[in-house]
Structure formats: structure tokens, C-alpha cells
Amino acid sequence: STSAFAWLDYSDGERRRMLEVLDLFREKGTLDELGIGSIRDTFADRFFPAISTIQTRARYFLFVPWIYQALERDRISSARAAAHARHQQARLVESLKAGGEGPASGVIGIDAGPNLQRPPSLVYWSGLRRLGILEFAGSTEGYHAALDGFYARSRRPLRSDVDELVERAPHHWHPSLPAAPEDLLSSTTLALRREDADFLAEHIRHHVGDSLLGRCLTSQIGRVRTAKAIWELSGLENLDRVLRQDIEDARRFALLMEGAVLTYNLMLAEAAEAAGIVAADSLVPTFRGELAPWSEEMKGDRAALRSWDRQAMWTRLRLLNPRLPLGAQHFAEQWISAATLAPDSVMDDEGIRRIIALRERHLKHGLARLSNPRALERWSGRSGSGRLSYRWLPVARQILMDILDGQGRQPGEA
């Protein structure tokens, strides 16, 4: 039997929670087959705070505040706020299309149109708060519910006995937010104006300036436009020692775990072949072929990997994320230890294969493909392969390029 989610007349809160559930399925199904997503995300949060994998372009950090500022100016009530905001964000899609933005440009909802289930406000809300652009502490539904009280307070500024203003009028958005363009909801683009780019760059520097996101907006770091991974950026030697080490740890971890996921796919291919699900001459050689250059790269990096202070890395990651699951760390350590010693043969080590199979069963229970033929039949032929990028591609680099372009920075300067 197949399962389906039916979109009923949910509240924004219920809809948001359902979307978060779907994200969890998506992470497990395509990005986090072996349950190391918590480690990946700890690194990613360190490098690119306020950025998430479902964001697309930098100007949404302004589109959302502009739409909500207009909502506040029009005194849209709490009861109507959610529907109004959703309608305005659907209008934004049409405005971007009218401005010439197409399907490949990162327009959120360009295919869904008025049926958009996850508007930009949900995608960017926590990032807006992290960058100090949004000064409301709660969720979107909490914001909507609080609007009526906000309007009442804004009409009653507090004054002292001598009639001096002692408390500024309340606001939800940073006072220096650039003014919205007049054509915002008629014909606009994703390109940042100079004042937009400068505003975002200043908030990134002020609120997350010690992150790689912040450093990439300085003259210290180059090759932002061309680097395919954060460790390919130029000028990393100019960063502070801790950030440099975090990047190097992330590089080594990404290399190691690519081999683990390829081995998992190889095991699935072999199981599918044995069960007659796929042709014998298809997937097994493919994954063995991809593991060959991986093992060569491992051997070329042997000195760095063998001198790697992994205990220091785990201590650092737990400082960044005290909730890091012990199971993820334990599995990663088992694989890293074995792969570092024998990168040529680790994929055929029966002990390691048992560890991978047990890890999958622990994560997926009865839906584990290596132990459930029905689940194996639904395998697409590739699960979660590819080296970890920690949100660099495609999101963080694109957002940085948007800001650099808005500031008029030439490719040679970035």
C-alpha cells in the first residue's frame, strides 16, 4: 500500500509542522541514509548560520520583511494575517515572473503558484531572526496572533510625567531596512540593489561575522564564485585558527563519509542483483568504479588522515552542538578508523558491512533496504551519494554571490 499526505484546511502551524515532517523523510531518504546528518548540520551551522538548504536567493531576506511591513502598515488583523501574507507571497511569484525570472533562477513557488504550501516566510523566518532583521522572537503563527496587540501598543507610546517619550514605538523589523521598491508586487527581480546588498552584508558581519559566511564578505577570502567546496576557497590561511581547523575537519569528514555512502550503495546494488531486481551488469560495477578514485584520494591524503586529531574534532562538535547523537559519532568513528587504515579494501570488509547494515536497521527499522526485500524493490538505484558540501552548494555560494554582485564586486575581488 502507498501512503499519502492530504493537504486539508490546516492552520499555518499545522502546515509548518507537516512540512517539517516531510523534510525529515527527505533527509533520511536522499541525504542522510547513514544517519550522519546531525554531524553534517553542526558543521554547516558553524560555517553558514542563518542559511538553510531550502533557501534559494538573498533577496528573500528582504522580500519577506517588505511584505510584512506592508501588512503592518495596512493594519491587517491577526485573524486575516496568515491568509493575507500567503496571498501577497503568491503575488510576489507573479511579480518575479513578470520581471523576467524563470524556473532556474530560484523563485520559490514558481511551479506551485497560488497553491504554494511553504511560502518564503517559512523558509527564511529563522534566518531573518538570526541576522537581526526580524526582531520578533516567535514563529510566523505567533507573529500573526500577536499583531492585534502590536497595533494597540503602537498607538500608545509610553511617556514620562514630564511628557518625554521614554519608549520608542514597537517594531518587528530592523529600522534600517531599505525601503521596498514601488514595483515589488508588479514586476521585480532577484537582483539586489546596492542598498539591499550593503544592508545584508552589514547584518551578516554584525551578527555572524565570525562564521565563514561573514568572512566570505571580506577581502580575506577569494574564489567565492568558482570554488566547488569551502576548502577550495582562497585565503583560508587568513582565517583564525579555530575556523581553519573546523574547515579542515569538515573536509576530511566529507571525504571519509563519501566512501561510506558509496559502500552502502554498493551493498544495495549487490543485494538487488542477487534478488534479480536489477540487471547484473549495471549498478555493481558503477559503484565499484566510483569507489576506486575515492580510495586513491584517500591514499593521497593518508598523512593528513593519520595525524588527524579526531577526539579534538568530536570535542569541538559537541561544544557547537551538545545534542549531537552518540550513535552518529560512534558509527562515523567505526567507519573512519577502518577506512583510514585500509581504503582499498574497506568496502569489502565483512565487519564494516555488518556495521553499515546494523546502522541502516537502527535508523529505518522495518524499512531497512538491506533486510527488507520490499523496501529494496523501491530503491531508486542511488541513495544519498555525493560529497558533503555543508550548504555551500547550491545555497550559500549563491546567496554570497547575490550580495557581492549587489555591491558591485568584480569576480577578481571575490
Side-chain angles (χ1 to χ4, degrees), residues 224-235:
V224 171
R225 299 173 192 273
T226 57
K228 292 183 172 58
I230 57 175
W231 40 88
E232 293 181 8
L233 293 163
S234 65

Side-chain angles (χ1 to χ4, degrees), residues 72 75-78 145-158 167-170 172:
E72 292 176 6
R75 291 293 197 266
I76 302 299
S77 69
S78 289
L147 277 172
D148 289 344
F150 169 77
Y151 299 145
R153 289 193 306 276
S154 65
R155 287 192 292 266
R156 298 194 308 268
L158 298 181
E167 183 178 308
R168 64 180 181 174
H172 290 140

